[in-house]
Amino acid sequence: MSAYSDLMGYERDTQALSQISVRLGWDQETVMPRGAAPQRAEEMAALEGVLHARRTDPRVGDWLATIEENMLDTVGQAQIRHIRQGYERATKIPAKLATEMVKLHSMAQGVWAEARGTEDFDAFAPTLKEVLNLKRQEAAALADGGDPYDALLNDYESNAKASELEAMFNALRPRLVALREKVLEADKQPMPLDHAFASEAQMRLTNKLASTFGYDFNHGRVDKAVHPFSSGSGQDVRITTRTSPRDPFNCFYSTIHEVGHGCYELNIDDSYLLTPLGRGVSMGVHESQSRIYENQIGRGQAFTQHLFGVMKDEFGDFGVKDANAFYATVNRVNSGYIRTEADEIHYNLHVLLRFDLERAMIAGDLAVDDLPEAWNTRFKADFGVAVDKPSNGCLQDVHWSVGLFGYFPTYTLGNVYAGCLNKAMRAAVPDLDGALAKGDTSGATNWLRDNVQTHGGLYEPKEVIERACGFAPSEAPLLEYLEEKFSAIYNV
Ligand code: ZN
């Protein structure tokens, strides 16, 4: 099988180059001098050109045509599946369209940021129309007569179908709205934190928390950035977080979330290093890891007991009387406008809204000019409040400006998967809460490592979840978890 080894050798260099590009991106968001931005843009564009040429190199097509897949083992077949998907995708998009999109997206992000700053949707609308126009062309090129939205979705979640997600989301929505209403009408509402927390102390504790969740500082580091993210695969996976003096939970839970993403990448089987299997398999499965670390484990009653203790050690008395009050404060529900600040109940309602609107835009059923009204009407229905300004409404997320259509639903799919994994993990790991209350997450994180993370890209996204859980994924475990948790906290 010399074609297979030639292809894998070629692929290894492509993967290495793409990790360099990722690390340049990390550098840009953390330590790069500001004045270096124009040169960095050129460096990254040059590298992107090299990567694009490698991904569409006709030799890849020749190797793929020569290799007899049925002669390969399961791992080899999975490698070829990923390479074939990538090659077909890259060669279906006309080069002119690809270049136009790259240029437009970097310009559009600036227009969006400006329009959001001045609360002026009309200033963004013409640019969004252009982005949407190119995106619909891309979707049509990728879809081959199939559903255009599915073609975009499959960039982030292979084999997912919008019609299946729609059924799942339609089952979530009414029960989340009902739970939201019940909880917000409860007589006793948890108190928010009211104290100042020094930034250096937050960073000290956030590093401890990263270790507590199994993040390996020999292969990673935690830095500050405007937006928390995780970056890289294999032996070098870095995360970022941020601090805000009045809101240390933002720092701690952003860190735990990114540690979930980071540990997924770090815990993939070593033999997949710098191959297509050596990365998280999809955005949905990735988000399932970050969300289960953050919410089902990190915001659970057992772990918050531990966190309450370490916060008292670090900050002294910060105005919360005991571990029970602290648990309620950590999980306080309120109907804010902003997705990234939303609690566990509202978060998915944010995502469902965006999924329905972007599908309608790609289908040509919703015009850009009608977007603000459609957004605001839906927001009022699901959140019970009227949007007061565009930056709190349809101008809040960067995604659409940079052409990320089909990405939003993977957030909720990740939560659905996290709900399933939590159910299976709790059945499999004895005395999980006893250990979590002492700050020992190893039972949970080892189970996730062995049942999900180690496989990297070996299985299709849905398959890896089903294999880990022993049942087909559905929204039911997430709903049961949310209803039980918040009914207990709010006594409703
Ligand atoms: Zn995430």
Side-chain angles (χ1 to χ4, degrees), residues 228 257-258 261 283 286-287 290-291 294 347 407 411:
H257 180 98
E258 298 309 331
H261 284 303
M283 297 316 299
H286 239 297
E287 199 65 8
S290 56
R291 295 294 278 188
E294 178 189 354
Y347 191 85
Y407 189 107
Y411 290 125

Side-chain angles (χ1 to χ4, degrees), residues 392-405:
N392 279 337
C394 65
L395 281 185
Q396 69 179 268
D397 300 299
V398 68
H399 299 57
W400 290 335
S401 76
V402 292
L404 290 176
F405 286 82

